[in-house]
Amino acid sequence: MADHAEDLDKKEETLIEKPAEKVHGDHDSSSSASSESDSEKKVKSKPASSPTSVKDKISRLFGREKPVHQVFGGGKPADVFLWRNKKISAAVLGGATAVWVLFELLEYHLLTLVCHILILALAILFLWSNATTFINKSPPRIPEVRLSEEPFRQVAAAVRFEINRALALLREIASGRDLKKFLAVVSGLWFFSILGSYCNFLTLFYITFVLLHTLPVLYEKYEDKIDSFAQKAMIEIRKKYAVFDEKVLSKIPRGPSKDKKRA
């Protein structure tokens, strides 16, 4: 009888242990599942490399930090150059093309054009003012135009500042302190001298005007591709310049530096 009672006690203990094991097993499986779900959430919550971060890694052309629209001032001129309003941009470009055709292809002179426009405008207004007495209509309202002094002062101050800065730069280059600036300025002047032998000032101005209306909008559209290509090109140019500087430029005698002159 005692053995039988012991067997019954053991069966009861095993029956009590099995549900406890199931509870622990379910708890472990749920904790593992929750840990897996948490890890999946962490993986999902980690942001992938966004295109903005990739764009930030690309060094912008000429060290630019602002958008292209702000580089051009962010006002109406920037809207015209970047074709924000296609009608106005097309009208400006068409007007510049018409002026170039008149003066370059048709060989029309500026003074002749201005005189003809004034003759036509004065004749129309004069005849219109006298004809109103016969047709019983009001005469044309000719606005009174007066130019203020402030815009001219601002333009003159800006021109004076740029001329002084250019003269200071030329003086610094002529003193023999910076060989890099000297080579850049000489090569630029040589390029413009060759360009000036093939076209006159008006054609050069028109080409510059057309480029200002085409290159910025194309650059804004393909900004990332152009910047990455320019970055690779600048790396190669710096390598070539380092070799050229080591073999040629470093052997050229230079003028005294500013620190030595001050001493």
Side-chain angles (χ1 to χ4, degrees):
M1 292 292 290
D3 295 335
H4 184 66
E6 289 177 357
D7 293 335
L8 289 173
D9 293 335
K10 288 180 180 179
K11 287 180 181 178
E12 288 177 358
E13 289 176 357
T14 54
L15 289 172
I16 291 169
E17 288 175 355
K18 284 180 180 179
E21 289 176 356
K22 287 182 179 179
V23 171
H24 288 297
D26 293 337
H27 179 69
D28 294 337
S29 63
S30 63
S31 63
S32 63
S34 64
S35 63
E36 288 178 358
S37 64
D38 292 337
S39 62
E40 289 177 358
K41 286 179 180 178
K42 287 180 180 179
V43 171
K44 290 180 180 180
S45 63
K46 287 182 179 180
S49 59
S50 61
T52 56
S53 63
V54 175
K55 288 181 181 179
D56 293 335
K57 292 179 181 178
I58 301 174
S59 63
R60 296 303 178 188
L61 195 63
F62 304 115
R64 178 179 58 84
E65 296 179 355
K66 298 179 181 179
V68 182
H69 191 266
Q70 292 184 5
V71 171
F72 281 93
K76 291 183 179 180
D79 294 338
V80 173
F81 288 132
L82 297 175
W83 292 76
R84 294 289 191 267
N85 192 336
K86 294 182 179 180
K87 292 182 179 179
I88 296 177
S89 300
V92 171
L93 188 59
T97 305
V99 170
W100 179 75
V101 169
L102 280 173
F103 291 120
E104 187 64 24
L105 298 183
L106 301 179
E107 296 182 354
Y108 216 75
H109 299 287
L110 178 61
L111 182 60
T112 306
L113 178 64
V114 171
C115 291
H116 285 176
I117 291 174
L118 289 175
I119 290 170
L120 181 63
L122 290 173
I124 291 173
L125 291 174
F126 181 80
L127 292 175
W128 189 2
S129 299
N130 290 312
T132 53
T133 57
F134 299 101
I135 58 178
N136 295 324
K137 287 188 176 181
S138 61
R141 294 180 181 178
I142 302 172
E144 185 178 357
V145 180
R146 288 184 179 180
L147 300 177
S148 61
E149 296 181 3
E150 190 62 27
F152 289 95
R153 287 180 179 177
Q154 292 177 356
V155 171
V159 172
R160 182 182 63 84
F161 176 76
E162 294 297 332
I163 291 175
N164 289 333
R165 191 171 67 171
L167 291 174
L169 179 63
L170 292 175
R171 182 177 179 276
E172 183 181 357
I173 292 170
S175 62
R177 296 169 187 167
D178 197 340
L179 185 60
K180 192 184 294 185
K181 288 182 180 179
F182 171 75
L183 293 175
V185 171
V186 168
S187 59
L189 292 173
W190 179 71
F191 172 75
F192 281 113
S193 66
I194 294 175
L195 189 63
S197 62
Y198 290 100
C199 58
N200 56 13
F201 180 76
L202 180 63
T203 304
L204 183 61
F205 181 79
Y206 175 69
I207 292 171
T208 306
F209 193 81
V210 172
L211 291 177
L212 283 174
H213 277 78
T214 53
L215 292 182
V217 67
L218 291 175
Y219 172 72
E220 190 181 33
K221 188 176 182 181
Y222 304 103
E223 184 177 358
D224 296 330
K225 295 180 180 179
I226 295 173
D227 286 337
S228 61
F229 178 77
Q231 185 177 4
K232 294 176 182 178
M234 286 301 297
I235 292 171
E236 294 297 327
I237 291 171
R238 286 172 184 171
K239 290 179 181 178
K240 300 294 183 183
Y241 179 78
V243 175
F244 181 70
D245 189 11
E246 183 180 358
K247 293 183 178 180
V248 179
L249 299 182
S250 61
K251 298 178 181 179
I252 298 174
R254 300 183 184 180
S257 60
K258 293 181 181 179
D259 297 332
K260 290 181 180 181
K261 284 187 174 182
R262 288 175 183 174

